[in-house]
Amino acid sequence: PVTALWERHARRVLDAMGWNAEAVITRPFQGGVNLALSAPIDQLYSAIHAAQAAWHLCAADLTGTAEVPFDTIVANLKKFMKLEENPALIELIAAADRHGIDILCDDDEISIGHGTGSMTWPADALPAISAIDWAALHDVPIALITGTNGKTTTTRLCAAIVESDDKIAGLTSTDHVQVGRDIIEKGDFSGPAGGRMVLRDLRVEIAVLEVARGGILRRGLPTRRAKVAVVTNLAKDHLGEYGVNTLQDLAQAKFAVAHALDDTGVLVMNADDLLLVSEATSLDKPIWWFAISPQSPQIAKARATGRPCAYLDGQNLVFFDGMSEVLSIPVDSVPITLAGAAKHNVRNALAAICACRALGIATASIRLGLSKFKPDRTDNPGRLNEVNFNDARVFIDYAHNVHSILAVCDTLSAVPSARRFLMLSQPGDRSDQDIAGAMTAALNFRPDVTVISEIEDYLRGRQLGDTSKLLKHAAIAGGMKLEQIRFAPTPAAGTAMILEQIQANDLILLLVLSDREKVFALLAAE
């Protein structure tokens, strides 16, 4: 009933506003429904009022209460529309489209083209179309990289390969915005704002943009002109937000990057992820698969049908261009793979190879970039970084969901050690089951001592101590004794607690979601 009312009333409101070409959207999900409408780009605030007006009419029907007269609603909406309309912007968008160049719009700035081929103006001071030097404007190749895990590493690796090709890369991630070696802004910029920041920088020749689920669902994509889109994998994380309740829902959210591909664009995907393989049947874009083995069904089919793909063949990372294996790199010459032990980073490297080939990067530059990129604090901070402390091996990683924790523990499972120390924490917006599952996964590290830390800046609706209790119970259920478990108020305090005890040949895994800089400072003290 709600959906039917929305479709009727929202359509009535849009038609009365003269927005006959705009769409009314409904998306049912378990426990609710998303209601939406589209709008002209210069009328976004009016669109908010239109949505509120349509919902007011729905609510009046649902509750049997009186509604504001429809003529009054429309008259008020048209006042907003008149105040907000921007015909100069609409003309500029049409002109950019005629020239085949991207245009990026927000409340403050409007830009045409990307990077070295861009021009930017204040939103309230747009140029005349005839005054624009269209010949100077162009787009740059763009890669959009998403997935539950591995997207930041893959993004950084692609940027390193671009640099090895003597080009300036613009990069966005959950850590910062970076152009070349310059960090422009720190923080989580995996949404469109970070993308616009990079694409408006006049130095950028190729853009590599991390695109996270939250950014997609809240703000959409940074551009609709991508050359390649990468989906690294799908795993349970952040389910239950924005009507994304299942892995199938999550797949559709991640697949939004495919809508940004231009006519020659390709989608790069993980053939070892069975859900991705299953959900890919709904896509009509060319797919370049990557996998840990040439025996993967998707890899075998790609080779047989002459489609590009990448895979690990014995001890070599291989790229097949549709006709032959044009690139073969020993896995032990790619540092982030730890000579192949870090299977998740083998896949990240394969994804980066595909993405960079699609961006037009030379094979020699791909080889050089892979060989130079280190799993350290400089190249890939917070991702399987190793530090020697008192002749003990300490690994620091950002892993915080079951899928990523299992990947890290699998990598370290064969590393010999005298004793094993683990520290972990969990954000409060996970379910009780997911928090317990994180500890169960971490026990694959086989710790002798586990330190459970609080992360006050990630409580997200829980009370201090809530996640620690869940983690403790899961550790005991997994076979740890209470005397093997310690508690710390912060990750930095938990790290200090472990460092006081470690000896030569110990192995330490610090799963650090918060306090990363403080943790590195403690390790640097040695």
Side-chain angles (χ1 to χ4, degrees):
V2 171
T3 298
L5 284 172
W6 175 257
E7 290 175 345
R8 177 159 62 91
H9 286 303
R11 182 75 268 158
R12 184 183 176 202
V13 168
L14 292 182
D15 289 347
M17 296 170 72
W19 293 0
N20 309 80
E22 301 301 337
V24 174
I25 302 108
T26 62
R27 178 186 166 269
F29 58 87
Q30 183 179 0
V33 60
N34 296 129
L35 307 176
L37 48 82
S38 69
I41 194 135
D42 67 333
Q43 297 277 299
L44 298 185
Y45 291 102
S46 298
I48 293 170
H49 291 293
Q52 291 172 334
W55 180 247
H56 162 74
L57 297 171
C58 292
D61 274 0
L62 289 166
T63 60
T65 55
E67 62 184 48
V68 174
F70 190 70
D71 289 345
T72 302
I73 289 175
V74 174
N76 286 332
L77 287 172
K78 287 187 174 180
K79 289 179 184 177
F80 285 116
M81 291 170 62
K82 188 67 178 175
L83 290 170
E84 194 180 9
E85 66 182 10
N86 189 345
L89 174 60
I90 300 302
E91 290 177 9
L92 200 60
I93 292 170
D97 189 55
R98 287 195 301 273
H99 285 84
I101 305 172
D102 196 15
I103 183 167
L104 304 176
C105 308
D106 57 49
D107 288 346
D108 301 316
E109 293 181 318
I110 308 298
S111 60
I112 300 178
H114 304 148
T116 56
S118 68
M119 292 183 183
T120 303
W121 302 271
D124 58 358
L126 299 181
I129 293 172
S130 59
I132 297 173
D133 182 5
W134 291 98
L137 299 175
H138 61 79
D139 297 339
V140 300
I142 298 172
L144 301 179
I145 299 174
T146 193
T148 301
N149 298 305
K151 53 187 178 292
T152 299
T153 295
T154 304
T155 301
R156 290 170 175 166
L157 188 51
C158 286
I161 292 170
V162 171
E163 180 182 302
S164 294
D165 202 46
D166 294 325
K167 293 183 176 66
I168 295 178
L171 172 151
T172 64
S173 71
T174 49
D175 282 340
H176 56 244
V177 176
Q178 183 172 338
V179 174
R181 290 299 181 97
D182 295 336
I183 294 177
I184 308 302
E185 196 83 42
K186 290 187 176 182
D188 186 346
F189 283 94
S190 55
R196 288 194 296 269
M197 201 180 301
V198 160
L199 294 173
R200 287 171 175 162
D201 192 298
L202 294 171
R203 297 168 292 174
V204 171
E205 297 174 279
I206 293 179
V208 187
L209 310 178
E210 179 178 338
V211 183
R213 167 210 57 88
I216 292 172
L217 294 171
R218 283 192 290 268
R219 300 292 183 191
L221 298 171
T223 177
R224 285 182 277 184
R225 294 295 180 102
K227 184 64 65 179
V228 58
V230 178
V231 185
T232 58
N233 50 55
L234 289 172
K236 285 186 177 182
D237 200 17
H238 297 291
L239 295 183
E241 299 178 15
Y242 299 98
V244 175
N245 296 331
T246 68
L247 281 173
Q248 286 72 26
D249 293 338
L250 184 61
Q252 295 309 308
K254 298 291 189 184
F255 286 167
V257 294
H259 302 311
L261 294 172
D262 62 25
D263 292 340
T264 62
V266 298
L267 187 60
V268 173
M269 295 214 295
N270 180 1
D272 295 328
D273 190 309
L274 297 181
L275 181 60
L276 274 183
V277 172
S278 172
E279 294 295 316
T281 57
S282 66
L283 300 170
D284 61 354
K285 300 291 184 181
I287 298 176
W288 292 7
W289 293 103
F290 64 89
I292 212 76
S293 167
Q295 275 72 52
S296 160
Q298 281 64 45
I299 298 300
K301 184 177 180 180
R303 287 179 57 89
T305 55
R307 284 180 288 128
C309 57
Y311 43 89
L312 179 66
D313 190 359
Q315 293 300 306
N316 295 300
L317 301 174
V318 175
F319 180 78
F320 175 79
D321 71 352
M323 294 181 289
S324 62
E325 294 181 347
V326 297
L327 183 67
S328 181
I329 307 168
V331 71
D332 60 8
S333 71
V334 182
I336 65 162
T337 70
L338 301 185
K343 298 297 186 203
H344 61 298
N345 276 341
V346 171
R347 293 188 176 94
N348 291 336
L350 291 168
I353 290 170
C354 288
C356 289
R357 284 287 299 187
L359 290 170
I361 305 295
T363 55
S365 299
I366 294 175
R367 188 187 307 276
L368 180 60
L370 289 171
S371 66
K372 288 170 57 179
F373 190 81
K374 304 292 193 299
D376 59 21
R377 186 183 177 188
T378 300
D379 288 349
N380 203 21
R383 272 71 179 179
L384 211 61
N385 303 155
E386 182 178 0
V387 175
N388 182 292
F389 192 94
N390 285 346
D391 293 325
R393 299 182 73 179
V394 182
F395 287 87
I396 307 97
D397 200 279
Y398 180 76
H400 57 281
N401 57 46
V402 171
H403 186 270
S404 58
I405 291 171
L406 280 173
V408 172
C409 291
D410 179 62
T411 300
L412 298 179
S413 62
V415 175
S417 61
R419 297 176 301 168
R420 291 172 172 254
F421 292 80
L422 167 72
M423 184 186 73
L424 82 165
S425 51
Q426 279 286 283
D429 59 351
R430 304 297 201 274
S431 68
D432 289 3
Q433 182 180 7
D434 287 344
I435 291 171
M439 174 59 82
T440 303
L443 293 180
N444 284 277
F445 180 65
R446 305 191 313 277
D448 298 295
V449 175
T450 294
V451 175
I452 296 171
S453 76
E454 291 286 342
I455 40 175
E456 192 167 354
D457 47 342
Y458 280 82
L459 288 176
R460 296 175 177 175
R462 291 187 184 264
Q463 299 296 313
L464 274 173
D466 287 355
T467 59
S468 292
K469 289 177 185 175
L470 291 167
L471 291 169
K472 180 189 75 171
H473 292 318
I476 293 172
M480 291 205 80
K481 297 181 173 59
L482 186 58
E483 55 267 27
Q484 293 177 281
I485 303 172
R486 311 280 189 273
F487 298 92
T490 66
T495 299
M497 191 181 298
I498 290 174
L499 296 184
E500 290 173 356
Q501 305 176 56
I502 61 176
Q503 301 169 3
N505 301 318
D506 285 344
L507 182 64
I508 297 90
L509 174 58
L510 306 176
L511 298 177
V512 182
L513 182 59
S514 179
D515 269 6
R516 192 193 308 164
E517 294 304 315
K518 293 180 180 178
V519 168
F520 276 121
L522 286 167
L523 291 165
E526 171 65 7

